[in-house]
Every structure is written in structure tokens, then in C-alpha cells.
Amino acid sequence: MIRYDLRCDKGHDFDGWFRSSEGFDGLRAAGQVACTICGSVAVDKALMAPAVPSDKARKTGEASPLEKLRRHVEANSDYVGPKFADQARAMHDGDIPQRAIHGEASLHDARALIEDGVPVAPLPFVPRQKAN
């Protein structure tokens, strides 16, 4: 996964996570990268500094912020795999009890959840757990 600092044509700064630079380029060309503040799809990569671990982190084996986030998500939510969209919608509709979950959803399913007001957010990594 690649994290980019992004800026829209209105000057809003935000970040986004993509599978690759080609993934970003394809989504941007399709108008699927939008400003999180105003919704503009005129988005470009902003100038950013590389994330280089400190000497202390390299020597001590300290986890990166992304790895710390991964560990937190995996420790505090249930992995539901490809059932994510169905589970999130069922919780939102009150059909099953609320709980923290993570998993995978197609772009179509994720967009439908967001449009229907289901509170979801993309993770900046691919889950490594297997569904039970």
C-alpha cells in the first residue's frame, strides 16, 4: 500500500491509500479520487517527504505507525472477510448486534454503504487474517 498526500484544486489537503501508483492513477483518471472536504475530483499528489524510520526505530525493531494501526484493528475488531458489506449493513439496520468489524468489500459495495449512511472507512492495509 502507498500513502499519498493529496491536494484538490480548491487547495484542500488530505491523504489517501492506494495499492500502487498505477492504482492511484487509474482511480484518479476514472474520477474516483475525491477531496474529503469538498468532493472535488480535480486531485493531484502533493509534495511529501518519504517516511523513513528513525535510527532508534530501526535498532529497537519498533513497529511503524501503520503496523501499530494494523495490530490495533486486528486486536479490537472481528475479521469478517468478504462478508463485510453484509455484516456492516445488518448492524446498521439493527438486524444483528453492533460490534467492531473489518474485512473486504468491493468498490461498488463500499460506495453503496457510504451512500446509505452506513459508517465505514477504508483501511490503509489489506487484512491478513482469515475469516472463521
Side-chain angles (χ1 to χ4, degrees):
M1 297 293 286
I2 298 174
R3 180 190 158 280
Y4 288 126
D5 287 334
L6 304 171
R7 176 171 290 144
C8 78
D9 61 337
K10 307 286 190 272
H12 300 127
D13 294 319
F14 59 102
D15 67 344
W17 291 86
F18 303 90
R19 288 193 184 273
S20 64
S21 63
E22 294 82 14
F24 167 79
D25 293 338
L27 289 171
R28 181 176 167 256
Q32 295 181 345
V33 179
C35 175
T36 58
I37 299 165
C38 69
S40 171
V41 294
V43 173
D44 287 307
K45 295 176 196 169
L47 185 62
M48 57 187 279
V52 178
S54 68
D55 286 340
K56 178 183 174 187
R58 281 193 299 269
K59 290 176 185 173
T60 64
E62 182 180 326
S64 70
L66 182 59
E67 183 58 28
K68 288 178 184 178
L69 174 63
R70 175 191 291 276
R71 290 177 187 168
H72 179 79
V73 168
E74 291 174 350
N76 295 288
S77 65
D78 296 326
Y79 177 73
V80 296
K83 298 177 186 175
F84 178 82
D86 293 335
Q87 294 280 308
R89 185 171 302 283
M91 283 188 283
H92 181 72
D93 293 344
D95 297 334
I96 61 174
Q98 295 277 330
R99 71 186 201 281
I101 62 171
H102 68 282
E104 292 92 33
S106 69
L107 180 59
H108 171 76
D109 288 341
R111 180 175 285 145
L113 289 171
I114 292 167
E115 288 172 354
D116 292 342
V118 179
V120 297
L123 293 174
F125 54 84
V126 176
R128 61 179 163 211
Q129 296 178 327
K130 295 185 178 176
N132 296 332

